[in-house]
Amino acid sequence: MQYRTKNESETAEVGRKTAAELNGGDILCLYGDLGAGKTTLVKGLARGLGLRRRITSPTFALMNIYDVRTAKDAAVRKLVHIDTYRLENERELVEIGIEDYLGAPNTICVIEWPEKIKGLLKNKKTLNVRIEHTKTGRTIVVNRNLKTENR
Ligand SMILES: Nc1ncnc2c1ncn2[C@@H]1O[C@H](COP(=O)(O)OP(=O)(O)OP(=O)(O)O)[C@@H](O)[C@H]1O
Ligand SMILES: [Mg+2]
């Protein structure tokens, strides 16, 4: 699925729509440059899962965990938002428990800068979103086909 968005709220809306397609255990990788709109899309996605809490970028925390009670897939209990931009070593994420969440049936994980944790994602099935700057806004490609990471 491909979208073109002209502003922040349209990008959030893509996230909201995408949330409706997600199931427990899904790992959604978000690719795109600095300022592409990855966090903006996650904000909409969280709304789509029924979250009311303010979503902030986990740039320094690396991982923010939200309780979910209202997802379409009722088994979903957590949204885990990961941003690896400042990560120096995958081990840092292992230490804060990422492996408990990646692919857990009651959890949806969304990852900004997934390129930096290829080792942790190896052999995991992921969904992928790519956001690119255009002259007039952003192009967002949402690929819901599970792809096994093995690069
Ligand atoms: N069409 C658009 N979609 C999303 N954001 C847009 C758009 N047009 C302009 N913007 C602006 O671009 C910025 C996107 O910021 P956001 O934090 O979502 O990016 P990010 O990809 O998460 O960046 P980072 O890699 O730093 O985490 C916001 O300031 C937003 O207002
Ligand atoms: Mg971000």
Side-chain angles (χ1 to χ4, degrees):
M1 190 69 101
Q2 180 161 330
Y3 304 88
R4 284 172 194 281
T5 65
K6 290 191 293 293
N7 53 48
E8 201 169 352
S9 65
E10 288 184 5
T11 294
E13 179 61 18
V14 173
R16 202 185 60 77
K17 281 194 192 134
T18 303
E21 313 282 335
L22 295 176
N23 297 300
D26 282 347
I27 301 169
L28 185 69
C29 290
L30 300 176
Y31 295 91
D33 292 341
L34 279 173
K38 300 179 292 297
T39 300
T40 302
L41 190 139
V42 176
K43 287 179 181 176
L45 189 139
R47 294 290 163 266
L49 293 174
L51 281 177
R52 303 239 172 98
R53 271 182 60 190
R54 198 164 73 94
I55 303 300
T56 54
S57 175
T59 309
F60 294 97
L62 298 177
M63 179 160 89
N64 289 339
I65 300 168
Y66 302 93
D67 288 327
V68 173
R69 288 186 205 81
T70 44
K72 181 208 64 178
D73 177 355
V76 173
R77 283 286 170 268
K78 286 187 194 307
L79 170 67
V80 176
H81 180 193
I82 295 159
D83 182 346
T84 73
Y85 189 67
R86 287 177 192 275
L87 190 73
E88 299 200 340
N89 192 305
E90 292 186 347
R91 239 183 306 127
E92 292 172 56
L93 270 173
V94 173
E95 280 160 14
I96 59 173
I98 188 175
E99 288 165 316
D100 295 343
Y101 299 111
L102 283 177
N106 66 350
T107 302
I108 289 169
C109 288
V110 293
I111 307 174
E112 299 187 36
W113 299 103
E115 301 93 325
K116 292 192 67 181
I117 57 168
K118 281 182 185 160
L120 287 169
L121 294 174
K122 199 166 164 59
N123 298 324
K124 304 259 189 241
K125 293 195 166 65
T126 62
L127 302 130
N128 297 282
V129 172
R130 186 170 296 277
I131 310 179
E132 271 163 19
H133 285 81
T134 64
K135 266 192 209 137
T136 51
R138 305 288 190 273
T139 303
I140 307 177
V141 178
V142 179
N143 192 339
R144 295 200 200 84
N145 298 324
L146 289 174
K147 169 170 150 273
T148 304
E149 300 285 333
N150 53 13
R151 287 159 297 161

